[in-house]
Amino acid sequence: MKVTSKAVTLLLSLTHHRSSAFTSSFALASRPSTSTAFTTKPNRRTFATSMTTTSGTTSASASSAKTAEDPYIWLEEVESEKSLNFAKEANAKCLTELGDPKTSASGTYQKVLDVLESDDRIAYVRKYGVDDDGEPIMFNLWKDSKNPKGLWRKTTLTSFKSDNPEWETVVDVDKLAEKDGISWVWKGSTPLSKRLDPMSDDGKRVTRTLLNLSRGGADASYIKEFDMIKQDFVTEEEGGFLLPEAKTRVSYKSRDVLYVGSDFGEGSLTDSGYPRVVKEWVRGTKIEDAPIVFEGEKTDVSVSAHMNDQRLRGGPVYEIRSRSLTFYTTKRWVRRVQYEHLLAPDDPARSTVGEPEDFREVDVQADASVTYVGKLMLISLRSDWEPVPGGTTYKSGSLLYTDADKFLTIGKDACSYSVLFEPTERTAYEDFSLTKNYLILSTMDNVKSKLEFYKLEDDGFKFVGGDAEAQIRSCDAGAIDSTENDEIWLYTSGYTQPSALSIGDASKVGTRDDKKDGSTDSYFVENLKSLPAMYDATDLVVSQKFARSEDGTEIPYFIISKKDVVLDGNNPTLLYGYGGFEISLGPKYIATVGVSWLERGGVYVEANIRGGGEFGPRWHQAGLKAKRHKCYEDFIAVGEDLVKSNICKPKTLAARGGSNGGLLMGMMYVSRPDLFGAIHCAVPLLDMKRFHTLLAGASWMAEYGDPDTSDWDKFLHKYSPYHLIDEKNENYAPMLVTTSTRDDRVHPGHARKMVKKLWDLGKDKNWPVYYYENIEGGHGGAADAKQSAFMTSLAYDFMWETLCRGKSEE
């Protein structure tokens, strides 16, 4: 599957009404892995190395040279006393000048907090098998005012469907944090597959999982195994799997064997800070003694290994290893194995089968994505592909399938290929999900969502139906339990349509004409939960418009405003953008925007600029590297279109973005200070000369370029805001820059250095710049609801009050 906002971890997704200040912007640099397991009791030896800021050590002379080149480089020392003092003093200065949002007369902080901690929120659940009575067990992580770090809890499906489910707490993260003296942030769990577990009561229940807890919200996490039957951690004495803090990639190979990629010491990480080697760790042995079974190059982004069990769909068990060469290119190896091959070497059952077949390299182009469904191999293309010389050339953005056995045994030349999806100028493949017998294809048509259903057959997929037309909404469909049946969760929302959770059934598609509860979707079965309106959307309208970029390309954008909005240029308007990593923006219920902006009478706009994935790989590739300027021209075109339409004027137009969107904001700040009245630049990249040396930055060179090559002189210097500050400019737009000390994805040094440089160069000039650094929070910028509410209200109050002052200005 391609890299999308669904495939990438949406750290603080608003699609499902979870606590967040942003939409999909925080997906930057989190290369999708084959598992997302993690968590253990902290090993304090690792604390000193958990926040390294550069790769390798630096000599005194080299350090002096770097300081001469960049006098603010000391701010890259994340937790040095001098850097932290800068952050603390800047925070105090920010609150003195902007006011503390907690005590502001606007009341935004409390409104946002009420949204984030509301008991009316939908509890999104995951099935972990069945109980002794055969009732499905549903797990959920729940945060509220009493449990800011969260309760991992469970209930039955029958109880979950009721208005007042009966929950049983399994892990109290707040109590665990207090007990350990660590500010834990829950990062999820990776369960042992029921079908690979002989203790699962014939595949009925999940018995073990790997829990993931992060210190203060960082990407690096601790891993600790959890017994789902006893509902307690598995100790080392009991043979439990525990790993210290690192950006670990881990998955179960079988009950007693793990695939582990982590920081094992010198040479075990790539330049991007992700695993370079994979070990096979057997229960009861030391991780230090576990053999390395797969490794990549230091220049790779990461390596990984995982299992794909397709026996329930008539296929084999696939053992897969991969090297992510860049953020968008991967080399893969696969072999088909029997269950016994997955066991520990000394397991008696292991000796009942011979040696497995050798791994085969998957002969597809490196920028394609590959997965296996039953006996079929699915290939998602990011560039045109001609698998058979002289044969058909398949279009970039297409989704194909072929016979997996023939492809792996004989070769790609011997295969025939079928097209499941081929893009047009305005349609794009987003991703797919699987039930036991169906594939659900998610596509976009002019940035509107559409679901199609295909039944899995021995030799391919048969289309059975789906949405008649694309709609301005978010609609995610995922199996409740893809090993059992074809029932699905349906998550829907829109810009003004509160989130809803329903149950559907893929097997119902095309078999009936009735419309239940007003639904026009034949796959709809039962509405379970609906979020009440979290803000007053009366008289709000959503429309899609288009701006013409500098090269003539039409750029779509969504605008939410009062239907009787007065076109006098005085409407406080917030323009949000991202434009990178093939991440798509689109309709979703953003309650925090509602209470912070729309209820006040503001206009909210999302720009679908190039660099994103709204129209597939070509839309993304149109903004890569030397073509990055297209992203910025697109955003400017939307801003100018809003001014031209008299929705706003520059003094009443704010811009906001985070992560890669923070780079976008930095470019708007230095290139078009005349177009914006306020800018919020969050967890940003800003120093494009050194981004590849900081934390995960090396993994993004496929997106931006390599500063150590001619890329810097050719194009990179043109979009490095840190180097584009014009000392002669007397006026820059007011800007709030926010970041997190614990962000171990985008280095906080980017934000720190930019602000310090602006303060030093901007003395006696009209350069109002404010800075706030949350000491916790990771790349999401906040570690709990209160921190998120604080950071969100700080930003929205700043933008609103700044624009309101510009209403009467010419």
Side-chain angles (χ1 to χ4, degrees):
M1 296 167 63
K2 76 165 190 172
V3 180
T4 69
S5 56
K6 296 178 184 177
V8 177
T9 304
L10 296 181
L11 236 68
L12 297 170
S13 172
L14 285 177
T15 303
H16 295 161
H17 184 64
R18 294 168 185 160
S19 60
S20 173
F22 294 100
T23 53
S24 55
S25 63
F26 293 0
L28 174 71
S30 181
R31 177 69 180 172
S33 65
T34 57
S35 68
T36 52
F38 310 83
T39 322
T40 69
K41 188 174 181 178
N43 177 345
R44 292 185 182 274
R45 285 188 303 105
T46 67
F47 282 10
T49 59
S50 65
M51 290 296 291
T52 52
T53 61
T54 59
S55 55
T57 58
T58 305
S59 67
S61 59
S63 179
S64 298
K66 287 182 178 179
T67 302
E69 180 183 340
D70 183 357
Y72 304 104
I73 201 168
W74 57 273
L75 287 164
E76 293 178 6
E77 298 173 17
V78 177
E79 293 180 314
S80 73
E81 183 178 0
K82 187 177 181 183
S83 292
L84 289 177
N85 284 341
F86 167 81
K88 293 172 183 177
E89 290 170 7
N91 289 354
K93 178 181 178 183
C94 178
L95 297 187
T96 297
E97 295 178 338
L98 297 183
D100 187 337
K102 289 183 179 180
T103 58
S104 170
S106 70
T108 307
Y109 169 80
Q110 191 59 50
K111 291 177 183 178
V112 173
L113 185 61
D114 288 345
V115 165
L116 300 180
E117 294 185 337
S118 170
D119 290 338
D120 292 326
R121 286 171 296 142
I122 298 173
Y124 294 94
V125 295
R126 181 179 185 181
K127 183 180 174 184
Y128 278 74
V130 299
D131 62 17
D132 292 337
D133 298 322
E135 179 74 25
I137 308 169
M138 317 309 293
F139 274 71
N140 159 261
L141 191 280
W142 181 260
K143 298 180 181 181
D144 55 27
S145 58
K146 295 180 180 178
N147 308 280
K149 295 188 177 298
L151 299 174
W152 197 42
R153 57 188 191 168
K154 69 177 184 178
T155 189
T156 64
L157 180 58
T158 298
S159 179
F160 177 68
K161 288 181 177 181
S162 69
D163 292 337
N164 296 293
E166 296 181 4
W167 294 98
E168 177 185 343
T169 297
V170 178
V171 176
D172 186 325
V173 184
D174 292 272
K175 288 184 178 179
L176 186 64
E178 183 178 0
K179 174 178 173 288
D180 294 342
I182 303 292
S183 181
W184 291 127
V185 174
W186 176 269
K187 290 284 183 155
S189 70
T190 297
L192 167 63
S193 169
K194 296 177 294 180
R195 295 181 59 81
L196 298 178
D197 182 8
M199 307 299 290
S200 66
D201 192 13
D202 196 25
K204 293 180 181 178
R205 65 183 64 192
V206 174
T207 66
R208 293 286 174 92
T209 191
L210 299 168
L211 295 189
N212 167 7
L213 292 174
S214 145
R215 184 168 56 97
D219 282 355
S221 301
Y222 294 86
I223 296 171
K224 187 174 182 180
E225 192 173 31
F226 192 82
D227 189 317
M228 301 293 287
I229 306 302
K230 296 180 180 178
Q231 295 188 182
D232 200 359
F233 291 105
V234 186
T235 66
E236 285 186 286
E237 292 73 22
E238 296 171 316
F241 292 118
L242 294 87
L243 288 168
E245 183 179 48
K247 291 184 178 180
T248 301
R249 299 291 182 261
V250 59
S251 63
Y252 282 100
K253 183 176 181 180
S254 60
R255 180 180 176 88
D256 295 322
V257 184
L258 291 187
Y259 270 139
V260 183
S262 189
D263 185 353
F264 301 121
E266 185 177 356
S268 64
L269 299 179
T270 66
D271 291 338
S272 300
Y274 294 105
R276 189 190 66 81
V277 301
V278 174
K279 288 189 172 188
E280 189 171 292
W281 186 17
V282 176
R283 189 183 302 280
T285 65
K286 296 180 179 180
I287 186 63
E288 293 83 0
D289 298 331
I292 294 174
V293 295
F294 183 61
E295 57 186 310
E297 301 294 332
K298 195 170 186 295
T299 54
D300 291 347
V301 172
S302 66
V303 301
S304 62
H306 71 286
M307 310 307 302
N308 183 350
D309 185 356
Q310 287 297 314
R311 289 175 294 173
L312 67 92
R313 299 186 181 93
V317 178
Y318 296 95
E319 187 174 6
I320 301 163
R321 297 174 178 177
S322 61
R323 286 175 52 201
S324 297
L325 308 180
T326 71
F327 205 86
Y328 305 109
T329 56
T330 302
K331 292 185 69 174
R332 301 172 179 84
W333 292 262
V334 64
R335 66 180 178 186
R336 292 153 295 185
V337 298
Q338 296 175 246
Y339 167 75
E340 289 78 9
H341 289 133
L342 311 180
L343 304 176
D346 60 352
D347 192 301
R350 178 65 180 79
S351 62
T352 64
V353 295
E355 290 301 310
E357 66 182 30
D358 292 335
F359 279 94
R360 305 168 188 262
E361 185 170 353
V362 182
D363 189 13
V364 298
Q365 52 201 32
D367 65 352
S369 296
V370 175
T371 192
Y372 303 91
V373 178
K375 299 176 182 178
L376 302 173
M377 176 178 176
L378 275 73
I379 306 167
S380 173
L381 300 180
R382 300 191 73 255
S383 59
D384 292 348
W385 187 46
E386 184 183 300
V388 180
T392 302
T393 296
Y394 297 98
K395 190 176 180 181
S396 171
S398 297
L399 181 63
L400 317 176
Y401 64 87
T402 190
D403 182 272
D405 181 71
K406 183 179 289 188
F407 188 100
L408 296 173
T409 304
I410 305 176
K412 65 181 181 182
D413 294 5
C415 294
S416 59
Y417 300 85
S418 299
V419 178
L420 197 61
F421 176 83
E422 182 177 80
T424 64
E425 188 69 20
R426 286 284 156 174
T427 62
Y429 160 66
E430 195 170 12
D431 65 3
F432 69 80
S433 60
L434 295 168
T435 67
K436 185 175 182 179
N437 301 296
Y438 289 83
L439 179 147
I440 307 170
L441 182 67
S442 176
T443 63
M444 288 188 294
D445 185 346
N446 246 340
V447 205
K448 301 172 186 176
S449 70
K450 185 177 183 180
L451 296 181
E452 294 180 347
F453 291 75
Y454 295 82
K455 184 173 175 55
L456 175 63
E457 300 184 336
D458 285 342
D459 58 351
F461 297 95
K462 178 184 177 182
F463 175 72
V464 294
D467 295 335
E469 297 180 354
Q471 303 175 53
I472 301 179
R473 67 169 185 179
S474 167
C475 185
D476 296 335
I480 295 177
D481 187 339
S482 63
T483 68
E484 295 293 332
N485 53 45
D486 300 307
E487 293 184 340
I488 56 177
W489 298 118
L490 292 168
Y491 308 98
T492 58
S493 72
Y495 283 117
T496 59
Q497 171 194 345
S499 305
L501 172 63
S502 306
I503 286 181
D505 191 331
S507 68
K508 302 292 185 184
V509 178
T511 65
R512 62 186 193 181
D513 297 320
D514 58 305
K515 300 178 181 180
K516 294 190 176 184
D517 293 356
S519 171
T520 59
D521 305 315
S522 61
Y523 47 82
F524 178 87
V525 173
E526 179 184 5
N527 182 44
L528 291 186
K529 313 282 181 180
S530 293
L531 185 72
M534 304 300 288
Y535 65 93
D536 184 6
T538 305
D539 294 331
L540 286 180
V541 293
V542 179
S543 58
Q544 186 182 39
K545 297 187 177 183
F546 297 85
R548 192 168 296 279
S549 195
E550 189 170 313
D551 64 358
T553 302
E554 281 197 333
I555 310 303
Y557 64 93
F558 289 102
I559 181 168
I560 302 94
S561 66
K562 293 285 187 181
K563 63 183 178 182
D564 57 353
V565 61
V566 179
L567 300 179
D568 61 359
N570 279 324
N571 299 288
T573 302
L574 174 54
L575 174 59
Y576 176 83
Y578 185 72
F581 294 88
E582 207 170 335
I583 302 299
S584 303
L585 300 184
K588 60 192 68 66
Y589 192 64
I590 315 177
T592 51
V593 172
V595 298
S596 303
W597 198 262
L598 293 171
E599 274 192 336
R600 288 169 153 175
V603 176
Y604 179 72
V605 182
E606 280 189 354
N608 304 115
I609 62 178
R610 281 173 283 188
E614 287 85 348
F615 298 109
R618 66 173 185 84
W619 197 249
H620 169 239
Q621 293 160 8
L624 281 180
K625 296 185 176 180
K627 296 177 283 188
R628 194 104 204 141
H629 62 96
K630 300 292 185 183
C631 309
Y632 309 135
E633 290 169 3
D634 293 354
F635 195 80
I636 288 169
V638 174
E640 290 179 335
D641 200 57
L642 292 169
V643 173
K644 182 180 178 181
S645 302
N646 252 355
I647 292 290
C648 58
K649 57 188 178 184
K651 287 290 186 179
T652 58
L653 175 61
R656 189 177 195 226
S659 197
N660 172 72
L663 172 59
L664 172 66
M665 294 302 102
M667 285 304 298
M668 294 304 101
Y669 180 81
V670 297
S671 64
R672 288 301 304 271
D674 61 310
L675 184 57
F676 301 100
I679 294 174
H680 176 210
C681 178
V683 289
L685 284 87
L686 294 167
D687 181 354
M688 302 308 287
K689 181 70 172 176
R690 286 184 48 75
F691 80 92
H692 63 313
T693 69
L694 303 174
L695 299 176
S699 66
W700 314 326
M701 289 192 289
E703 180 82 9
Y704 300 123
D706 183 352
D708 289 338
T709 68
S710 59
D711 288 355
W712 175 256
D713 290 327
K714 287 180 178 178
F715 57 84
L716 257 172
H717 74 280
K718 297 178 182 178
Y719 58 86
S720 182
Y722 182 62
H723 297 90
L724 295 176
I725 301 168
D726 184 358
E727 295 182 56
K728 298 178 182 178
N729 194 338
E730 290 296 323
N731 298 286
Y732 274 124
M735 179 169 66
L736 170 65
V737 181
T738 58
T739 190
S740 165
T741 308
R742 291 293 301 154
D743 188 345
D744 56 353
R745 193 180 307 175
V746 176
H747 199 291
H750 284 276
R752 292 172 174 177
K753 293 197 303 179
M754 182 76 170
V755 169
K756 184 67 168 70
K757 187 174 182 179
L758 286 171
W759 282 348
D760 288 350
L761 297 180
K763 291 177 181 177
D764 302 322
K765 295 185 176 71
N766 184 27
W767 293 8
V769 180
Y770 311 95
Y771 180 78
Y772 197 91
E773 179 175 322
N774 195 27
I775 304 303
E776 294 185 324
H779 192 49
D784 58 36
K786 287 184 172 61
Q787 290 181 21
S788 182
F790 178 88
M791 299 299 286
T792 300
S793 56
L794 177 69
Y796 278 98
D797 281 354
F798 158 72
M799 291 185 292
W800 183 265
E801 292 167 9
T802 303
L803 296 191
C804 285
R805 286 195 295 270
K807 275 188 177 184
S808 59
E809 297 179 15
E810 294 297 329

